[in-house]
DNA sequence: TCTGAAACGCACTGCCC
DNA sequence: GGGCAGTGCGTTTCAGA
């Protein structure tokens, strides 16, 4: 694998994951380059898959989803079919923002966004607990978002 | 609190958090409206804080940060000073993508992005464990990203 | 609050170095 | 691979309804 990214590419990636609205013109000024190489580098980074997509980050509180909680789920049986089914069902549940299949005692970690404790009750009763083969469900609530980013450091 | 968002606003917010590059013109076509109201609604949503920012989502694997793990940290003493200090120090550590102060037995959940298990060792030895007053550190590794979104449902 | 049109700036292309 | 100039498109503004 050859070296694919130079310092300029890395600068662009880091900048864009902080603020995707930065224009090629602004980058050109910051880097003392002209606009076209910036433009072509960004296009290349998109095409090669370094940049997956551009998204708007919304305000949870304003949208009445200010409560976050972490659910730790373990399964009764660990057959392939049950795990696949769990994944499929989880993907359908809108309250689930993140879900990871874990190594170790707990099988899945879920990050849930909801507006109230009543919503949580509704979520567990009508959605989560309807998935087959769940044995343990352990939920803890977030008191404070200390760091909640989309940026990856590299 | 008056009703701030109508169906069009909600449509725009949901669309933008899936793809921020959608143009006002495209929205206008989808909604059978002209461009200017779309434009002004989006500006309003930005100014009122519903939209916090626009970011590029990068590919972890391409950037050699394909390993994700969850660290559960508990503290020895729960004084305000220690908690504040932990928050301050965590914010500085680039490997930490998310950090939440939790209710319950475990004080903090951390989501970490790294490239190798060696990196994890380095992270724990030189960064995490240097923070004062940590008692328990329990790490589990992600086997598979089932759902890993920035979108919130509403 | 929407429509329509006009002005501007940036994204994007092609050519040159 | 980068600089420069031109074109088209989207953004932005504004009159009017």
């Amino acid at each position: 694998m050859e070296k694919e990214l130079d310092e300029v590419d890395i600068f662009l990636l880091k900048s864009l994951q902080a603020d995707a609205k930065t224009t090629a013109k602004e980058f050109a000024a910051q880097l003392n380059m002209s606009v076209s190489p910036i433009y072509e580098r960004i296009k290349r980074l998109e095409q090669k898959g370094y940049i997956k997509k551009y998204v708007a980050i919304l305000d949870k509180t304003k949208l009445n989803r200010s409560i976050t909680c972490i659910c730790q789920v373990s399964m009764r049986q660990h057959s392939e079919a049950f795990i696949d089914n769990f994944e499929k069902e989880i993907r359908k549940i809108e309250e689930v923002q993140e879900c990871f299949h874990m190594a170790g005692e707990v099988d899945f970690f879920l990050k849930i966004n909801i507006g109230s404790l009543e919503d949580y009750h509704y979520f567990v009763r009508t959605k989560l607990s309807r998935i087959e083969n769940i044995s343990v469900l352990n939920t803890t609530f977030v008191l404070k978002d200390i760091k909640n980013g989309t940026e990856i450091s590299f």
Side-chain angles (χ1 to χ4, degrees), chain A:
Chain A
M1 183 160 74
E2 61 195 307
K3 198 184 180 219
E4 294 239 332
L5 302 176
D6 64 11
E7 307 76 38
V8 174
D9 292 322
I10 291 171
F11 178 82
L12 294 175
L13 287 174
K14 289 188 177 180
S15 302
L16 287 171
Q17 74 173 336
D19 178 11
K21 287 290 190 214
T22 317
T23 63
K25 197 182 181 181
E26 289 170 315
F27 284 132
Q30 290 170 41
L31 296 165
N32 288 319
M33 295 168 71
S34 68
V35 180
S36 14
I38 305 291
Y39 172 76
E40 291 182 0
R41 279 164 180 270
I42 293 174
K43 282 296 153 202
R44 181 176 154 274
L45 293 169
E46 291 169 358
Q47 275 154 22
K48 292 246 179 181
Y50 290 96
I51 298 171
K52 291 204 291 191
K53 57 181 175 176
Y54 298 94
V55 303
I57 304 297
L58 307 186
D59 189 318
K60 278 203 299 264
T61 309
K62 285 246 167 203
L63 294 166
N64 213 24
R65 290 295 123 94
S66 52
I67 298 179
T68 305
C69 62
I70 307 286
C71 295
Q72 299 182 57
V73 176
S74 291
M75 309 203 69
R76 206 162 340 172
Q77 291 175 50
H78 296 82
S79 70
E80 187 182 355
F82 280 129
I83 290 174
D84 290 350
N85 181 62
F86 184 83
E87 294 190 14
K88 187 164 65 72
E89 294 300 322
I90 283 295
R91 265 190 265 268
K92 291 187 209 160
I93 304 178
E94 55 174 19
E95 287 92 339
V96 178
Q97 198 187 23
E98 301 180 27
C99 174
F100 304 110
H101 187 188
M102 305 300 296
E105 214 173 316
V106 171
D107 292 315
F108 298 96
F109 270 73
L110 281 63
K111 192 174 110 186
I112 312 292
N113 284 131
I114 37 162
S116 67
L117 293 179
E118 278 184 23
D119 290 347
Y120 183 71
H121 179 235
Y122 175 80
F123 159 73
V124 172
R125 274 210 61 176
T126 70
K127 300 186 177 179
L128 191 57
S129 69
R130 289 201 185 155
I131 302 178
E132 252 189 319
N133 197 44
I134 291 176
S135 73
V136 183
L137 168 62
N138 189 0
T139 303
T140 49
F141 287 87
V142 170
L143 297 175
K144 185 185 176 188
D145 266 28
I146 292 163
K147 199 169 182 179
N148 194 353
T150 56
E151 302 179 33
I152 60 183
S153 64
F154 59 98

